Amino acid sequence: MILLPGFMCDADLWTDLVPLLRPGWRVLHADLFSDSSIEAMAARVLEEAPERFVAVGFSMGGFVARQIALTAPERVEALALIATSALGTTPERAERNRQRRARIAAAPFRGLSRSDLRRALHPSRRDDAVLVERMLAMGTRLGKQVLLRQLAAERVDGYGRLPEIRCPTLVVAAEADELRPRDETDRLAAGIPGARYEIVAGCGHMIPLEQPGVLAALLNGWLDQAAPATG
């Protein structure tokens, strides 16, 4: 199983989830930190991955996971897309990202915005200091150069290619995700043939951190049928 993290998230995103997965899975963490395009990230993962694997992508990692499934469908046993979509980067968003990269490049790195990170959480968790600090710490560990590369990774609209995904697919959305509106995830799930769609109640965007037990149960139950672990 290859875990693909979201924007400015490292392996700690999955710390609470991994011990809850069914025994037998060999868990690998994808490198989404060394490249500045979704296509290059996907190519790196494929270069380093075993011949056959399950891809679990969160947020930005979901864009990479979809690219992997389209590039090498014969290698992907199953696909899980968590709090993600297939919406492309608009010209306006691309310009904002360009301006943001210029500001970041010209100044000392001060980490991620605490207010932006709080917005990624369910309203009931936004004052959870431990959770917010974990998110801040991931961004600090990854640093300025990773932030610049990931901001440069524009997303091409992928809804038109969703019918090409033929492996078993699980789409997981959060009930109170302010970063990925439900119309995006609804459309994602509807576009992939035979996809299973689950909504996590009482949760914001950061599903692996906020509701690791619920997410693990969904993954375990689905993978028991879609791609049983063999050890």
Side-chain angles (χ1 to χ4, degrees):
M1 180 186 295
I2 299 179
L3 302 179
L4 297 95
F7 181 79
M8 293 303 283
C9 294
D10 62 18
D12 188 43
L13 175 74
W14 311 103
T15 294
D16 301 327
L17 173 80
V18 170
L20 304 176
L21 295 173
R22 292 271 194 270
W25 287 106
R26 181 165 68 99
V27 174
L28 305 174
H29 295 278
D31 175 3
L32 305 189
F33 318 120
S34 303
D35 301 287
S36 56
S37 75
I38 298 297
E39 294 77 12
M41 292 175 186
R44 183 180 297 274
V45 173
L46 284 167
E47 182 178 352
E48 299 175 352
E51 187 59 29
R52 296 278 292 173
F53 56 90
V54 170
V56 178
F58 167 74
S59 198
M60 184 191 75
F63 284 79
V64 182
R66 277 192 300 104
Q67 182 64 37
I68 289 169
L70 292 168
T71 302
E74 74 284 356
R75 295 180 61 186
V76 182
E77 292 188 24
L79 181 65
L81 303 173
I82 304 161
T84 188
S85 80
L87 189 68
T89 304
T90 64
E92 295 77 15
R93 179 65 178 267
E95 176 59 21
R96 288 198 301 272
N97 284 344
R98 187 195 66 77
Q99 294 176 7
R100 185 180 177 191
R101 293 199 309 273
R103 291 194 301 270
I104 292 167
F109 181 62
R110 304 185 188 283
L112 301 180
S113 163
R114 190 180 294 267
S115 60
D116 286 348
L117 294 178
R118 284 195 174 112
R119 182 169 171 258
L121 298 171
H122 188 273
S124 67
R125 304 295 297 275
R126 288 175 183 171
D127 292 325
D128 185 330
V130 173
L131 201 53
V132 173
E133 288 302 321
R134 283 179 68 183
M135 295 164 68
L136 285 168
M138 287 193 286
T140 299
R141 285 193 295 270
L142 292 175
K144 179 176 180 176
Q145 294 308 312
V146 173
L147 177 57
L148 291 172
R149 284 193 285 269
Q150 292 191 348
L151 282 172
E154 295 183 9
R155 294 97 189 267
V156 175
D157 191 290
Y159 286 110
R161 297 195 66 186
L162 294 179
E164 299 176 39
I165 298 175
R166 295 297 180 178
C167 63
T169 301
L170 171 69
V171 176
V172 181
E175 182 183 48
D177 191 340
E178 293 187 13
L179 304 187
R180 286 293 168 203
R182 281 284 299 282
D183 62 329
E184 293 182 30
T185 54
D186 290 351
R187 189 178 173 196
L188 178 66
I192 300 173
R196 178 175 165 183
Y197 191 25
E198 298 285 350
I199 310 296
V200 179
C203 189
H205 182 67
M206 301 300 294
I207 301 174
L209 289 178
E210 295 183 65
Q211 297 285 356
V214 173
L215 181 57
L218 290 173
L219 287 170
N220 286 333
W222 171 69
L223 287 170
D224 280 348
Q225 297 180 335
T230 56

